[in-house]
Amino acid sequence: MQITTTHPQPEVAHSLDLVGRFDAFEVPSFDDIIASLPSETGQTIAVDLSQVEFIDSAALASLVRVMKRQREAGGDLILRKPSDPVRVIFELTKLNAAFTIED
Amino acid sequence: MSTNARSSETRSSETLSLYREWVASPITDPPVYSVVIPAYNESERVVFTIGAIATHVSGLGQPWELIVSDDGSTDGTVGLVEDLGLPNLRVVSDGINRGKGAAVRQGMLAARGDYILFADADQSTPITQFELLLEPLLHGAAVSIGSRAADGATVANKSGLRTALTKGLNLLVRSAIGLPYLDTQCGFKMFTRSAVHDLFGRQLIDRFSFDLEVLFLADRLGLDVAEIPVEWIDAPGSTVSPAKVALEFLRDIAQIRVWAAQGRYDTIHNKTRSGSEERKTLADHNYSSSA
């Protein structure tokens, strides 16, 4: 999986674009990048999932951890443009209601 | 927005719309495709795999069915799948753990599609490879087998041990049983309905080496088998024990030869089912609900 961090936008402190398969093999890299981001109280992180082909339980758990951490600090995790299979997986697991998802 | 982006978005919208139709009501026409997922204690992975498969195959625009063939799971896999409540998703199970070969046979014989794929629950071969296997069947082949060793295949994250095991097994297969395939064990194989009847109707092995038996039978029956290079990712959490599988292979190669000599493969003994043995209620079995 490729992970690209992009320039901050007005509404988000950090934006990450993920490409490929997001599974247990890739979670450590994703977690490392998230941990390396400068953190400030109340910041929001956006993750673009439009190029993610498949997501597994480990990846979903990682996203839940990031969401909880950001919300506890007064910010949020925004998931942007999930691909069809990723959107369907969020729906089947009913986690679409828990995340902030933007199209 | 670029033209490519717009056409990709349109495709995406159509795929999602077809998926929403598929989950909303039972198909009315006979299925063109069936996808069978053999499952043993797959509660952590099966919903994700169902999501990926359901999205992609619905997007092909044909009536199709999805079958989870449970192998006596004790981790709540069956309940988890049934709780999804998808009208074109069936669970078949007798609640007994026999082995992958038995689970695949059970699912394949329950399938009603013209073209029937079995795909491992870990999505190690992504469902996006579906059309690659379908193509030869549309042009007369009876069986398409995904291959990690054929020219053009891509393999990622495979451990050294698993690479060595696969190479060893394939060498063994080619020398001991005379099959020409570079990879007999990829968990992504597609059959015409007629081939399912001929092959899984005769298949006897309940363990991992059933693939080998099925290909041996296809060779004996003179069926046209296409070996197709696929993308393969060694998915985390594999439940395969390399040493156990290698020992089973040695035993089963000998067993296949004995059964063939005894004429055990001359007749069809496993009948295609109409679905009458599907599980109807979870209460029939004592599955754990600790998903």
Side-chain angles (χ1 to χ4, degrees), chain B residues 219-274:
Chain B
D219 194 51
R220 268 172 66 103
L221 294 171
L223 301 184
D224 184 5
V225 178
E227 185 170 16
I228 306 296
V230 292
E231 180 185 339
W232 193 85
I233 304 110
D234 194 359
S238 169
T239 54
V240 177
S241 162
K244 184 181 172 196
V245 169
L247 286 173
E248 281 183 5
F249 252 76
L250 290 171
R251 181 180 58 190
D252 289 343
I253 286 173
Q255 184 71 77
I256 290 167
R257 287 210 164 279
V258 169
W259 281 338
Q262 291 174 338
R264 294 279 303 275
Y265 295 127
D266 293 348
T267 55
I268 289 181
H269 26 257
N270 308 312
K271 301 296 183 193
T272 305
R273 299 174 197 163
S274 62

Side-chain angles (χ1 to χ4, degrees), chain B residues 43 62 85 93 108 124 127 131 162 173 181 234:
Chain B
S43 62
Q62 298 286 348
S93 175
M108 298 301 274
S124 50
I127 192 60
E131 293 94 311
R162 203 157 173 183
V173 166
Y181 312 112
D234 194 359

Side-chain angles (χ1 to χ4, degrees), chain A residues 21 23-25 54-57 60 84-85 87-89 91-93, chain B residues 12 15-16 19-20 44 48 51-52 55 122-123 157 233-236:
Chain A
R21 180 171 167 129
D23 63 14
F25 277 123
F54 180 69
I55 188 168
D56 75 357
S57 59
L60 202 53
D84 290 341
R87 181 184 299 275
V88 165
I89 286 166
E91 290 177 5
L92 290 176
T93 56
Chain B
S12 165
T15 296
L16 212 51
Y19 164 78
R20 302 231 184 278
E44 283 194 17
F48 296 81
T55 311
D122 59 9
Q123 273 289 282
N157 299 337
I233 304 110
D234 194 359

Side-chain angles (χ1 to χ4, degrees), chain B:
Chain B
M1 185 194 300
S2 70
T3 304
N4 282 345
R6 190 180 301 117
S7 70
S8 165
E9 195 166 288
T10 304
R11 248 192 337 269
S12 165
S13 158
E14 287 170 1
T15 296
L16 212 51
S17 168
L18 289 164
Y19 164 78
R20 302 231 184 278
E21 284 176 28
W22 187 79
V23 296
S25 55
I27 56 173
T28 51
D29 293 325
V32 174
Y33 310 129
S34 299
V35 179
V36 173
I37 306 172
Y40 175 65
N41 288 346
E42 292 288 356
S43 62
E44 283 194 17
R45 300 194 286 199
V46 72
V47 172
F48 296 81
T49 298
I50 288 170
I53 290 175
T55 311
H56 184 78
V57 183
S58 294
L60 300 177
Q62 298 286 348
W64 74 286
E65 64 175 359
L66 181 55
I67 295 171
V68 173
S69 184
D70 179 65
D71 187 26
S73 295
T74 55
D75 69 340
T77 296
V78 169
L80 200 60
V81 174
E82 290 182 335
D83 284 350
L84 293 175
L86 303 182
N88 298 301
L89 165 60
R90 290 188 284 153
V91 177
V92 291
S93 175
D94 60 10
I96 300 170
N97 175 231
R98 292 190 173 86
K100 184 181 177 184
V104 170
R105 178 172 62 235
Q106 171 180 254
M108 298 301 274
L109 293 173
R112 299 172 299 141
D114 297 330
Y115 304 99
I116 304 171
L117 172 80
F118 77 79
D120 281 352
D122 59 9
Q123 273 289 282
S124 50
T125 304
I127 192 60
T128 49
Q129 310 288 285
F130 183 96
E131 293 94 311
L132 292 178
L133 266 65
L134 177 63
E135 188 66 20
L137 302 191
L138 295 175
H139 291 92
V143 182
S144 274
I145 62 172
S147 175
R148 299 160 289 185
D151 278 350
T154 61
V155 174
N157 299 337
K158 198 171 189 182
S159 69
L161 177 62
R162 203 157 173 183
T163 301
L165 175 70
T166 303
K167 282 185 179 173
L169 287 178
N170 286 324
L171 186 62
L172 188 66
V173 166
R174 274 181 280 175
S175 59
I177 212 160
L179 292 175
Y181 312 112
L182 297 171
D183 180 11
T184 60
Q185 295 311 112
C186 181
F188 200 76
K189 292 183 171 71
M190 191 183 290
F191 304 76
T192 61
R193 185 164 47 184
S194 164
V196 165
H197 174 76
D198 288 340
L199 299 174
F200 290 92
R202 290 177 168 87
Q203 178 221 341
L204 295 168
I205 290 177
D206 287 345
R207 298 173 292 270
F208 269 96
S209 37
F210 76 96
D211 298 77
L212 184 56
E213 184 187 32
V214 166
L215 292 175
F216 173 81
L217 291 169
D219 194 51
R220 268 172 66 103
L221 294 171
L223 301 184
D224 184 5
V225 178
E227 185 170 16
I228 306 296
V230 292
E231 180 185 339
W232 193 85
I233 304 110
D234 194 359
S238 169
T239 54
V240 177
S241 162
K244 184 181 172 196
V245 169
L247 286 173
E248 281 183 5
F249 252 76
L250 290 171
R251 181 180 58 190
D252 289 343
I253 286 173
Q255 184 71 77
I256 290 167
R257 287 210 164 279
V258 169
W259 281 338
Q262 291 174 338
R264 294 279 303 275
Y265 295 127
D266 293 348
T267 55
I268 289 181
H269 26 257
N270 308 312
K271 301 296 183 193
T272 305
R273 299 174 197 163
S274 62
S276 59
E277 296 181 33
E278 291 167 40
R279 281 178 43 77
K280 297 299 181 192
T281 63
L282 189 59
D284 294 336
H285 300 278
N286 294 317
Y287 289 104
S288 157
S289 58
S290 57

